[in-house]
Amino acid sequence: DTGVSQNPRHKITKRGQNVTFRCDPISEHNRLYWYRQTLGQGPEFLTYFQNEAQLEKSRLLSDRFSAERPKGSFSTLEIQRTEQGDSAMYLCASSLARGLAAPQFFGPGTRLTVL
Amino acid sequence: SQQGEEDPQALSIQEGENATMNCSYKTSINNLQWYRQNSGRGLVHLILIRSNEREKHSGRLRVTLDTSKKSSSLLITASRAADTASYFCATDAGNSGGSNYKLTFGKGTLLTVNP
């Protein structure tokens, strides 16, 4: 399967714990995005990488959130000191952008439940 | 914040009928994309229409874009039960170089196709 993959698919944690999610994009894609989606809403942009550089972080991404893409390939999203409000589906997407409009390809998501 | 707004919020039709979903947005865009999401899963890219295009077709899908009205429509012809899903429009605001890096999604239209 050459699509975007995300692990784990589900994560249940207790409030205050740290969690880390992984995203493996489509191999030749230079852009990688993280979105968050809550029930009944569309995805909301969190952050974006061009190769290994993180170029923008949404105001939704508090200091408890950190994302990396160390070698311009896979990416991790860490949430420290989780809160119940962090419960959501976290979606990763990638695209091959060369200045023209490019579709984003999404992974299946990681569903986080904070108890 | 959500830029796009889909209308209707929910649509129920019989198999074989056509389904039309509308999307309105607020700011100027580089392109507009439609995605499908099956219950609890990741998003699947359907079609991308650039701001200088007025209509695009892909199989049973037809998308129109009216930048003067800041609106788009997605038509699915000869619907099937497998088309049951949530449909989202997403806008790419772009920049002087072309495609921007983030999509702004609406809340989606829940389409139910009854067999």
Side-chain angles (χ1 to χ4, degrees):
Chain A
D1 189 340
T2 57
V4 178
S5 62
Q6 292 186 247
N7 287 289
R9 295 290 306 277
H10 302 273
K11 180 70 177 178
I12 300 174
T13 192
K14 293 182 180 179
R15 188 161 50 100
Q17 298 294 304
N18 299 343
V19 294
T20 300
F21 310 141
R22 176 177 169 127
C23 170
D24 287 90
I26 294 173
S27 59
E28 66 270 23
H29 284 185
N30 56 347
R31 289 185 175 175
L32 186 147
Y33 314 79
W34 286 98
Y35 292 83
R36 182 172 68 189
Q37 184 178 25
T38 53
L39 197 62
Q41 303 293 315
E44 293 181 294
F45 171 81
L46 293 179
T47 190
Y48 137 78
F49 291 84
Q50 172 98 6
N51 299 312
E52 66 274 12
Q54 186 176 18
L55 297 186
E56 182 168 328
K57 292 171 61 172
S58 162
R59 289 171 295 174
L60 293 174
L61 220 60
S62 75
D63 291 344
R64 296 184 297 105
F65 288 71
S66 62
E68 293 182 343
R69 192 183 184 197
K71 296 182 181 179
S73 56
F74 73 92
S75 175
T76 58
L77 177 67
E78 181 183 16
I79 309 174
Q80 296 182 326
R81 305 181 303 282
T82 53
E83 301 173 355
Q84 288 184 326
D86 297 331
S87 295
M89 175 79 88
Y90 289 84
L91 295 164
C92 175
S94 68
S95 71
L96 180 61
R98 292 172 175 163
L100 300 177
Q104 295 183 18
F105 295 89
F106 283 78
T110 294
R111 183 171 296 284
L112 173 66
T113 302
V114 182
L115 302 175
Chain B
S1 64
Q2 318 237 226
Q3 145 134 279
E5 238 182 75
E6 290 89 346
D7 170 54
Q9 291 186 345
L11 180 61
S12 180
I13 60 174
Q14 296 300 121
E15 215 168 19
E17 293 180 341
N18 295 343
T20 299
M21 288 160 270
N22 302 297
C23 169
S24 59
Y25 57 91
K26 298 174 184 173
T27 64
S28 61
I29 60 171
N30 173 277
N31 65 80
L32 185 145
Q33 304 180 32
W34 284 91
Y35 287 81
R36 182 186 73 222
Q37 185 176 39
N38 292 91
S39 179
R41 298 189 180 182
L43 288 92
V44 174
H45 179 262
L46 296 177
I47 199 163
L48 181 154
I49 186 166
R50 294 183 172 83
S51 59
N52 60 354
E53 298 175 311
R54 291 297 167 257
E55 187 170 314
K56 267 188 109 166
H57 297 255
S58 176
R60 293 184 297 113
L61 306 180
R62 173 179 169 253
V63 167
T64 62
L65 179 64
D66 186 337
T67 52
S68 67
K69 295 181 179 178
K70 292 187 169 60
S71 67
S72 173
S73 68
L74 170 68
L75 168 67
I76 304 175
T77 60
S79 63
R80 305 166 182 168
D83 294 329
T84 295
S86 290
Y87 290 81
F88 294 90
C89 70
T91 53
D92 178 344
N95 56 33
S96 59
S99 174
N100 204 345
Y101 42 80
K102 66 182 182 183
L103 296 176
T104 305
F105 286 82
K107 293 185 179 182
T109 292
L110 177 59
L111 173 65
T112 302
V113 182
N114 301 299

